[in-house]
Amino acid sequence: MKKIVFFTGAGVSAESGIKTFRDSDGLWENHSIEEVASPDGFRKNPKLVLEFYNIRRRQMYQVKPNRAHTLIGELQEYHDVYVITQNIDNLHERGGSKKVLHLHGELDKARGVKDDRKLYPLDGKDINIGDLAPDGTQLRPHVVWFGEMVPAMEEAVEIVSQADTLIIIGTSLLVYPAASLINYIKDGCDVFYIDPKAQVPYGYQKEMTTINKNATEGVEELFKLLISD
């Protein structure tokens, strides 16, 4: 039984109908990143930010996990499988994956504005102005915004460093610090990169197999290989 780590990005969720993080015009559903994904944006207009994520949370429950999600879940029957994802949706969990680490937070959880350690499940509910954490502070989405630390990064590095196989899916490998995870693999780790535009990152010194397909096609291609190992 091998330790297989999947490192996933927006390309996995896109096939379920969830929009990728930002369009080519630099806007996120007609909002600038600064407006809806930064601490400053939340301070300036918390109502806008809360409603933006409320809409995304509702949309998340209107879509279903795709074949890539479910195949990753099925692979647990054969190997020790971890998922490290940049996505804030819960499609990996709904697809059957048991060990999922969300680098950039989880859309269906909330936290107080002053304490990022205590999390509160939302179960699909909205967060509104006046919804307070037990410490009396306003609730906010449990999402890592631009300019904030990535608290799960240390755990992610530890998981990746123990992987026998690392499979990267649906990410540009341009968002840091998440993209730096590929630098922590051990010698002998097999690395696969699934994405229609997948190419070995500039300066990367180790072996990497690129599969220029979308998430479902790429995972389907690898699945038979992985279960035979």
Side-chain angles (χ1 to χ4, degrees):
M1 179 178 284
K2 290 186 174 182
K3 182 166 184 176
I4 298 178
V5 176
F6 287 87
F7 174 41
T8 69
V12 177
S13 297
E15 292 182 56
S16 288
I18 291 181
K19 291 183 179 180
T20 53
F21 187 80
R22 62 192 298 186
D23 295 320
S24 57
D25 59 6
L27 298 179
W28 194 5
E29 295 182 7
N30 297 317
H31 296 287
S32 70
I33 297 299
E34 292 73 23
E35 282 182 298
V36 295
S38 72
D40 190 51
F42 186 67
R43 283 190 293 270
K44 290 179 178 178
N45 196 340
K47 185 175 181 180
L48 170 68
V49 174
L50 291 180
E51 184 57 18
F52 176 81
Y53 287 96
N54 289 341
I55 291 171
R56 296 194 73 207
R57 192 177 304 108
R58 294 174 210 146
Q59 291 172 340
M60 179 176 71
Y61 281 105
Q62 293 170 359
V63 302
K64 296 179 180 180
N66 60 54
R67 187 63 174 147
H69 294 114
T70 57
L71 280 176
I72 293 170
E74 290 174 22
L75 194 61
Q76 295 169 131
E77 299 176 21
Y78 305 90
H79 295 287
D80 185 16
V81 178
Y82 284 75
V83 177
I84 300 171
T85 185
Q86 298 174 85
N87 301 332
I88 60 175
D89 60 64
N90 60 11
L91 293 177
H92 278 298
E93 288 89 343
R94 288 162 59 194
S97 292
K98 304 298 182 185
K99 300 176 181 178
V100 183
L101 179 67
H102 288 266
L103 281 180
H104 297 153
E106 297 178 67
L107 188 56
D108 210 22
K109 291 182 180 177
R111 68 179 194 245
V113 296
K114 290 186 177 179
D115 189 347
D116 61 5
R117 295 166 298 176
K118 293 183 180 179
L119 307 179
Y120 310 97
L122 292 170
D123 299 320
K125 298 185 181 72
D126 290 353
I127 306 176
N128 298 301
I129 296 294
D131 291 343
L132 306 179
D135 64 4
T137 62
Q138 171 68 44
L139 286 176
R140 54 158 281 183
H142 174 52
V143 175
V144 176
W145 287 327
F146 285 91
E148 294 184 322
M149 298 292 290
V150 180
M153 193 63 192
E154 187 174 336
E155 184 179 355
V157 168
E158 180 67 20
I159 293 169
V160 167
S161 68
Q162 297 174 13
D164 298 307
T165 303
L166 174 65
I167 303 169
I168 306 159
I169 312 176
T171 174
S172 64
L173 291 178
L174 295 175
V175 177
Y176 284 83
S180 67
L181 285 174
I182 61 173
N183 298 320
Y184 293 96
I185 62 169
K186 65 184 180 182
D187 290 340
C189 177
D190 296 317
V191 182
F192 298 89
Y193 183 9
I194 301 170
D195 191 82
K197 299 180 180 179
Q199 57 182 343
V200 178
Y202 178 77
Y204 186 70
Q205 299 296 319
K206 297 185 179 181
E207 273 195 48
M208 176 184 291
T209 301
T210 56
I211 300 175
N212 296 108
K213 295 184 177 181
N214 62 28
T216 53
E217 292 174 341
V219 175
E220 285 174 345
E221 179 177 313
L222 276 182
F223 187 78
K224 292 181 181 179
L225 173 66
L226 295 171
I227 65 175
S228 65
D229 283 352

